[in-house]
Amino acid sequence: MFAVHLMAFYFSKLKEDQIKKVDRFLYHMRLSDDTLLDIMRRFRAEMEKGLAKDTNPTAAVKMLPTFVRAIPDGSENGEFLSLDLGGSKFRVLKVQVAEEGKRHVQMESQFYPTPNEIIRGNGTELFEYVADCLADFMKSKDLKHKKLPLGLTFSFPCRQTKLEEGVLLSWTKKFKARGVQDTDVVSRLTKAMRRHKDMDVDILALVNDTVGTMMTCAYDDPYCEVGVIIGTGTNACYMEDMSNIDLVEGDEGRMCINTEWGAFGDDGALEDIRTEFDRELDLGSLNPGKQMFEKMISGLYLGELVRLILLKMAKAGLLFGGEKSSALHTKGKIETRHVAAMEKYKEGLANTREILVDLGLEPSEADCIAVQHVCTIVSFRSANLCAAALAAILTRLRENKKVERLRTTVGVDGTLYKIHPQYPKRLHKVVRKLVPSCDVRFLLSESGSTKGAAMVTAVASRVQAQRKQIDKVLALFRLTREQLVDVQAKMRAELEYGLKKKSHGLATVRMLPTYVCGLPDGTEKGKFLALDLGGTNFRVLLVKIRSGRRSVRMYNKIFAIPLEIMQGTGEELFDHIVQCIADFLDYMGLKGASLPLGFTFSFPCRQMSIDKGTLIGWTKGFKATDCEGEDVVDMLREAIKRRNEFDLDIVAVVNDTVGTMMTCGYEDPNCEIGLIAGTGSNMCYMEDMRNIEMVEGDEGKMCINTEWGGFGDNGCIDDIRTRYDTEVDEGSLNPGKQRYEKMTSGMYLGEIVRQILIDLTKQGLLFRGQISERLRTRGIFETKFLSQIESDRLALLQVRTILQQLGLDSTCEDSIVVKEVCGAVSRRAAQLCGAGLAAIVEKRREDQGLEHLRITVGVDGTLYKLHPHFSRILQETVKELAPRCDVTFMLSEDGSGKGAALITAVAKRLQQAQKEN
């Protein structure tokens, strides 16, 4: 028993001594946590360099865009071919991706050798050999009669400008075929395949093996957005935000970046941690000075590093009693599989003895322990370096997503990771230590890169088909110049119909005289009350106008109009309005004061004078009974009488559009047009009296409230209306009415978007085909969401947040499509508005017989003010369709309040002038 303890003590002492001896000898190969954090920082800096346009040419880590923009979503299906060229063997696969929802893949494959004379010979012969192998595979699997898409896994650094193209930057590993560098490998292989007339194959994707690994794992785990290869070579890829990739145009979405991290340190960035053995290995390699990081990590080099260390230790008399064998002097005699075998738990020492004996050495027990520890240090350093670079990528992902904790999956492949008994455990532990704020799952890739190439091809195929369907829908909203010119001409014709006595009754653009016959001249002064009714809120204002200095001060209070009042009786509505006025007068201490009042009533009215307005029909959700066909001024006077508390001088009933024009006209006498682009859409302008057949007299001008929202109610613009417009119209409170408004105003744009999103989801093109309950709810997609989603400053992450608020679990790709849909709908709205406005400015130019017209348009409305692109597109459209009109756009400051007071002031001034005359 004592002898056993003695032996155990002797052995543990021997082991301890040998480990200490090796630790001292390989001191520089042991990396502290601080060193790893420093390497992590250096790698992050290299990533930044590679992504930036200016620094990319000199960056060691090339950060190559792969043009892989999406990961599998489970809806992929079909048959695909895949080729994998880049390792010691060349592989051809047929991959059957199952029908939707099953996430099942069937594969048939065949390996072909890659002889040295082929991979180091002539480039043309290499591609012809690959094409011959593919033809052989297709013949054996009876695939020659089929047209199949193919994905090519090409495990060498390539610069891609699209998914199906890649220019070889340099060969790595053992490949050295001549005349391939700086050429497109896809076109080289396509040319070689043309020799086989009976083969119909379309290369859809060129994929790096690392990208293939990520895609394979992403098919099983949607959280996978990083791929790592630790095999013959080493590399990593990950999904980067497009906004950070200078080398590719566009900011939307994400793209997989192939880091080519093997070259990290080629610029000397790792000199302080490289050892004499690393330098010796590099000098003896096929590519001295290149792939420095890879040479410290990958399977092609670890065995050789161990050999160089053992040789030096033997020369120093620290191993094998100073004896060396010819095998130990021979390059490549120790391979990575030997290193893995020597580090095996339990049988590792026995394996070490066997391997050393095969090398012609006579190792002692102490030698075996020392050699095993050399292997541990070399492979541990490899795992540490890999972990530091991977931790840098994970940190970048977390920061891109702006989250406290990142949940993600890393897809891993490669023989070193797979066959080395301790490697995965060491790598995982160090990564988790370096990035404690990331919850990382490591997923081993099955059939890695080759299946991955098929998955990239399947995704490309899916995205291509989906894109066609999405483009088909979006094309319905893209108006050509000819269509816009046609809208302009039809609007012009409707304006003329509305002005003529004969056709006025049939016109869809009502062209209502407002009896506002002048613009402010700056002499207006006094206190005025203004009422503003046009939406769910009602305002009462006190407006003080001072003459000379063109100064206006306003005090206002906002009151809600409940739905039951909006859709109750007329009497209830006007009693509620009077109650609000009483509250305001009380609040301002003006009870009993008889003030002139302007009433902004933002609904279509037929006016016979400035203080009489007969409601033609409700819009914007109002449905109060017994109002249509009645004079709203009389109804307001009756309600004031019923209350019997105060008396007001109702001078003018005003449309909000007219108020907008007047407000801007107060600042700019050139302003003769008012435009509202908000909840509703409307336009007014100063028309020559001689053209207004509905009103007697030919002298001077009068403002015409076009009520252009009804344009198209006669079917004249049905050719540009879509099925989504029809859906929105049929579901509205006034089907068949206000068709132009329903294509251009804030009240309806969000609803059009919602209808499109439902349709695309039903087609399986969005939200994984799942329509949420909230998306089924009418009115849930408010127009303010369009403005937010289309904001240039808004990252896709924020778009996803908005969609989540609507109960929509969107992917990055979904967010891009939603943004495109919003853009198409709002762009069409702005263009249609622009075409209508162009009709009016051209009419004014021709009526005045001018070669060139200078005019100002006063504009108000949330859509115009808050949408990031609406105003610009509208202005561009007017400029294009009315090139001889110089149109200035002026934002109105409270048209419906201040404007009503100004109209009242102008009316009072004109009344006074009439009296004096």
Side-chain angles (χ1 to χ4, degrees):
M1 191 68 185
F2 175 71
V4 172
H5 280 301
L6 195 64
M7 274 303 287
F9 173 74
Y10 165 74
F11 187 73
S12 68
K13 184 80 175 76
L14 177 71
K15 192 171 183 180
E16 195 184 315
D17 290 346
Q18 293 306 311
I19 286 171
K20 279 182 181 170
K21 174 175 78 178
V22 173
D23 282 347
R24 279 196 301 272
F25 191 76
L26 295 179
Y27 172 76
H28 288 299
M29 277 197 166
R30 298 176 68 83
L31 305 173
S32 69
D33 288 354
D34 284 346
T35 304
L36 292 178
L37 287 166
D38 186 40
I39 290 166
M40 190 176 149
R41 280 190 291 272
R42 292 185 215 180
F43 188 70
R44 283 211 60 187
E46 285 296 324
M47 288 170 80
E48 296 280 357
K49 265 169 94 175
L51 287 169
K53 204 171 197 168
D54 296 342
T55 48
N56 175 273
T58 56
V61 179
K62 283 297 178 194
M63 303 295 281
L64 304 169
T66 64
F67 294 83
V68 171
R69 296 170 190 265
I71 59 172
D73 67 359
S75 67
E76 294 76 15
N77 62 72
E79 249 183 341
F80 305 92
L81 286 172
S82 183
L83 299 180
D84 185 2
L85 182 67
S88 45
K89 288 176 183 168
F90 160 57
R91 190 180 183 197
V92 186
L93 250 91
K94 185 196 93 169
V95 180
Q96 175 77 49
V97 182
E99 289 302 313
E100 286 179 54
K102 290 179 187 167
R103 286 198 182 242
H104 180 62
V105 177
Q106 282 183 312
M107 296 187 292
E108 294 177 61
S109 70
Q110 197 168 321
F111 284 97
Y112 293 91
T114 47
N116 271 344
E117 63 272 18
I118 292 288
I119 64 172
R120 294 188 188 179
N122 178 295
T124 304
E125 286 168 14
L126 169 66
F127 289 108
E128 284 176 357
Y129 173 73
V130 171
D132 292 345
C133 294
L134 178 62
D136 175 72
F137 177 81
M138 289 181 78
K139 188 179 177 183
S140 69
K141 302 293 177 195
D142 194 26
L143 296 171
K144 287 270 176 120
H145 59 287
K146 289 186 177 179
K147 180 175 175 66
L148 292 171
L150 178 140
L152 168 63
T153 300
F154 192 72
S155 313
F156 305 96
C158 283
R159 186 169 307 287
Q160 288 185 260
T161 49
K162 44 187 185 227
L163 186 58
E164 68 281 12
E165 182 186 280
V167 173
L168 177 68
L169 294 177
S170 62
W171 288 115
T172 57
K173 294 169 267 198
K174 293 181 179 177
F175 280 69
K176 271 281 188 184
R178 296 184 302 278
V180 183
Q181 205 166 320
D182 298 324
T183 66
D184 173 23
V185 293
V186 174
S187 55
R188 296 289 293 268
L189 180 57
T190 305
K191 191 178 174 187
M193 288 193 304
R194 282 199 202 111
R195 291 165 55 250
H196 298 269
K197 304 288 181 208
D198 53 352
M199 209 161 69
D200 192 2
V201 173
D202 192 10
I203 304 176
L204 277 193
L206 173 74
V207 184
N208 179 280
D209 55 348
T210 324
V211 181
T213 295
M214 182 189 79
M215 293 296 269
T216 301
C217 295
Y219 188 65
D220 300 317
D221 180 348
Y223 281 99
C224 182
E225 47 194 348
V226 182
V228 177
I229 297 270
I230 312 163
T232 313
T234 184
N235 194 10
C237 70
Y238 72 102
M239 295 301 287
E240 176 62 85
D241 289 358
M242 279 289 290
S243 54
N244 297 328
I245 307 170
D246 281 2
L247 299 168
V248 181
E249 274 189 28
D251 283 345
E252 301 301 345
R254 302 199 300 166
M255 183 182 283
C256 181
I257 288 289
N258 164 22
T259 65
E260 285 298 337
W261 77 9
F264 177 35
D266 286 7
D267 56 357
L270 296 175
E271 274 315 296
D272 55 326
I273 62 159
R274 287 177 76 230
T275 65
E276 57 182 296
F277 308 109
D278 296 309
R279 291 186 179 91
E280 194 175 340
L281 178 139
D282 177 47
L283 285 170
S285 68
L286 282 170
N287 53 351
K290 302 266 173 75
Q291 301 295 100
M292 294 305 187
F293 194 57
E294 182 169 78
K295 284 171 184 168
M296 297 159 87
I297 290 175
S298 79
L300 188 63
Y301 303 103
L302 290 197
E304 184 59 11
L305 270 175
V306 168
R307 184 188 73 80
L308 292 170
I309 293 164
L310 299 188
L311 183 61
K312 176 134 194 207
M313 286 182 80
K315 281 179 180 173
L318 297 171
L319 281 178
F320 320 126
E323 293 298 320
K324 305 169 290 292
S325 64
S326 62
L328 192 59
H329 276 97
T330 308
K331 185 179 163 186
K333 276 293 182 185
I334 298 179
E335 295 172 25
T336 297
R337 64 188 171 92
H338 297 135
V339 176
M342 289 191 268
E343 283 195 73
K344 267 196 178 162
Y345 185 62
K346 288 186 179 170
E347 65 255 47
L349 278 176
N351 291 343
T352 305
R353 175 173 294 281
E354 197 180 312
I355 289 161
L356 293 174
V357 168
D358 283 350
L359 288 170
L361 296 161
E362 293 175 16
S364 65
E365 197 69 49
D367 290 335
C368 292
I369 292 166
V371 169
Q372 189 183 43
H373 193 54
V374 167
C375 293
T376 300
I377 286 176
V378 169
S379 61
F380 217 127
R381 182 184 71 155
S382 164
N384 276 339
L385 289 170
C386 222
L390 180 54
I393 289 173
L394 294 171
T395 304
R396 186 171 179 86
L397 271 179
R398 186 178 64 77
E399 288 177 6
N400 281 353
K401 293 186 178 195
K402 297 178 174 63
V403 289
E404 285 293 312
R405 287 198 75 77
L406 174 74
R407 177 187 170 186
T408 194
T409 298
V410 176
V412 198
D413 201 0
T415 45
L416 179 57
Y417 184 86
K418 283 178 174 173
I419 67 162
H420 192 291
Q422 317 296 332
Y423 203 97
K425 193 167 61 187
R426 289 170 185 166
L427 177 76
H428 303 172
K429 191 177 174 183
V430 180
V431 167
R432 288 179 180 128
K433 186 161 60 170
L434 293 174
V435 278
S437 53
C438 298
D439 299 319
V440 192
R441 178 188 179 208
F442 289 86
L443 186 59
L444 187 62
S445 165
E446 291 174 63
S447 325
S449 48
T450 328
K451 176 181 165 187
M455 290 318 310
V456 173
T457 310
V459 170
S461 193
R462 164 177 68 80
V463 169
Q464 214 173 55
Q466 287 176 342
R467 191 68 247 176
K468 269 184 192 164
Q469 286 171 280
I470 291 163
D471 283 345
K472 204 171 165 184
V473 169
L474 295 181
L476 300 171
F477 291 85
R478 291 194 187 107
L479 300 175
T480 62
R481 190 178 191 283
E482 288 67 35
Q483 285 173 312
L484 289 170
V485 167
D486 188 46
V487 169
Q488 181 186 9
K490 285 172 178 171
M491 177 66 86
R492 176 71 186 268
E494 287 293 318
L495 298 175
E496 302 291 359
Y497 291 150
L499 288 170
K500 301 266 186 292
K501 211 168 195 169
K502 260 188 191 174
S503 51
H504 178 84
L506 300 171
T508 60
V509 180
R510 306 307 284 266
M511 303 298 281
L512 304 170
T514 66
Y515 294 86
V516 171
C517 298
L519 290 163
D521 65 1
T523 63
E524 295 77 14
K525 63 181 179 190
K527 284 182 186 176
F528 303 88
L529 266 187
L531 309 181
D532 175 14
L533 179 69
T536 49
N537 289 329
F538 168 62
R539 284 191 312 156
V540 186
L541 302 95
L542 174 69
V543 183
K544 294 179 181 178
I545 303 174
R546 294 166 72 179
S547 64
R549 297 209 333 249
R550 288 190 183 247
S551 151
V552 176
R553 290 183 74 181
M554 293 187 292
Y555 309 88
N556 74 82
K557 202 166 183 198
I558 296 172
F559 301 89
I561 305 236
L563 191 64
E564 62 270 20
I565 299 280
M566 284 169 71
Q567 298 183 4
T569 68
E571 202 167 283
E572 286 168 340
L573 174 63
F574 282 92
D575 282 348
H576 179 75
I577 287 170
V578 171
Q579 173 68 53
C580 297
I581 297 170
D583 288 352
F584 179 75
L585 292 173
D586 212 14
Y587 170 72
M588 293 299 295
L590 289 169
K591 229 166 192 178
S594 182
L595 296 169
L597 181 145
F599 183 12
T600 298
F601 188 75
S602 307
F603 303 94
C605 282
R606 180 168 285 106
Q607 286 185 256
M608 299 314 290
S609 67
I610 196 161
D611 63 348
K612 287 194 175 301
T614 303
L615 176 64
I616 294 169
W618 286 117
T619 57
K620 295 183 258 194
F622 276 73
K623 276 279 187 181
T625 57
D626 308 321
C627 294
E628 293 180 358
E630 298 294 326
D631 180 0
V632 293
V633 177
D634 283 348
M635 291 184 83
L636 180 59
R637 283 188 180 127
E638 288 298 319
I640 291 170
K641 263 186 204 161
R642 278 195 299 274
R643 188 162 183 101
N644 199 23
E645 268 184 32
F646 49 81
D647 193 26
L648 295 169
D649 175 17
I650 304 172
V651 175
V653 62
V654 183
N655 179 279
D656 57 346
T657 322
V658 184
T660 294
M661 181 189 78
M662 292 298 268
T663 304
C664 295
Y666 188 62
E667 308 289 336
D668 178 354
N670 221 14
C671 180
E672 291 199 349
I673 298 177
L675 165 67
I676 296 275
T679 311
S681 177
N682 196 15
M683 169 81 68
C684 71
Y685 72 103
M686 295 302 287
E687 177 62 271
D688 296 330
M689 283 291 290
R690 59 188 157 84
N691 295 330
I692 308 170
E693 293 184 5
M694 303 295 294
V695 181
E696 281 187 19
D698 284 348
E699 292 303 314
K701 294 177 185 177
M702 183 185 285
C703 179
I704 290 290
N705 166 20
T706 66
E707 286 298 337
W708 76 359
F711 174 48
D713 288 1
N714 59 0
C716 70
I717 54 170
D718 279 2
D719 57 320
I720 59 167
R721 287 176 79 233
T722 67
R723 59 183 182 273
Y724 309 107
D725 296 306
T726 307
E727 284 275 353
V728 169
D729 180 40
E730 286 171 358
S732 69
L733 286 168
N734 54 351
K737 303 246 175 90
Q738 300 294 101
R739 289 185 178 179
Y740 183 65
E741 181 169 77
K742 283 170 187 167
M743 295 165 83
T744 55
S745 80
M747 189 165 181
Y748 301 101
L749 297 193
E751 188 56 17
I752 297 170
V753 168
R754 189 183 73 89
Q755 292 294 345
I756 298 168
L757 299 187
I758 287 174
D759 185 38
L760 293 178
T761 309
K762 279 180 182 169
Q763 293 181 54
L765 304 171
L766 273 182
F767 313 128
R768 301 176 182 87
Q770 304 295 311
I771 301 176
S772 73
E773 272 313 304
R774 294 200 68 191
L775 190 58
R776 292 180 199 275
T777 312
R778 189 172 297 281
I780 194 74
F781 205 100
E782 296 171 47
T783 298
K784 69 173 183 183
F785 293 135
L786 269 79
S787 298
Q788 290 169 3
I789 286 168
E790 288 187 70
S791 166
D792 294 330
R793 296 190 302 277
L794 206 65
L796 279 178
L797 207 64
Q798 289 156 296
V799 174
R800 287 176 77 175
T801 308
I802 293 167
L803 295 174
Q804 275 163 1
Q805 289 165 15
L806 297 170
L808 301 169
D809 181 20
S810 70
T811 62
C812 191
E813 291 70 43
D814 289 339
S815 303
I816 293 170
V817 174
V818 171
K819 199 167 181 177
E820 284 183 90
V821 169
C822 292
V825 170
S826 62
R827 182 177 183 80
R828 183 190 69 163
Q831 286 179 317
L832 286 173
C833 249
L837 179 53
I840 287 173
V841 295
E842 271 296 303
K843 174 178 167 32
R844 291 305 295 137
R845 185 185 66 78
E846 288 174 20
D847 284 352
Q848 292 172 58
L850 297 171
E851 190 60 37
H852 203 86
L853 172 74
R854 285 177 70 101
I855 197 163
T856 298
V857 177
V859 200
D860 203 354
T862 47
L863 190 57
Y864 187 91
K865 284 179 172 175
L866 302 180
H867 191 282
H869 309 301
F870 189 94
S871 57
R872 174 181 54 79
I873 295 164
L874 184 146
Q875 290 173 26
E876 285 169 358
T877 307
V878 173
K879 200 170 186 178
E880 190 182 350
L881 299 182
R884 289 194 278 176
C885 299
D886 184 3
V887 184
T888 302
F889 289 82
M890 183 178 186
L891 272 182
S892 161
E893 183 202 332
D894 196 0
S896 42
K898 182 177 167 183
L902 284 164
I903 290 168
T904 307
V906 169
K908 277 288 197 191
R909 172 170 60 78
L910 294 175
Q911 278 171 16
Q912 192 64 36
Q914 237 170 357
K915 271 182 195 170
E916 285 166 10
N917 285 338

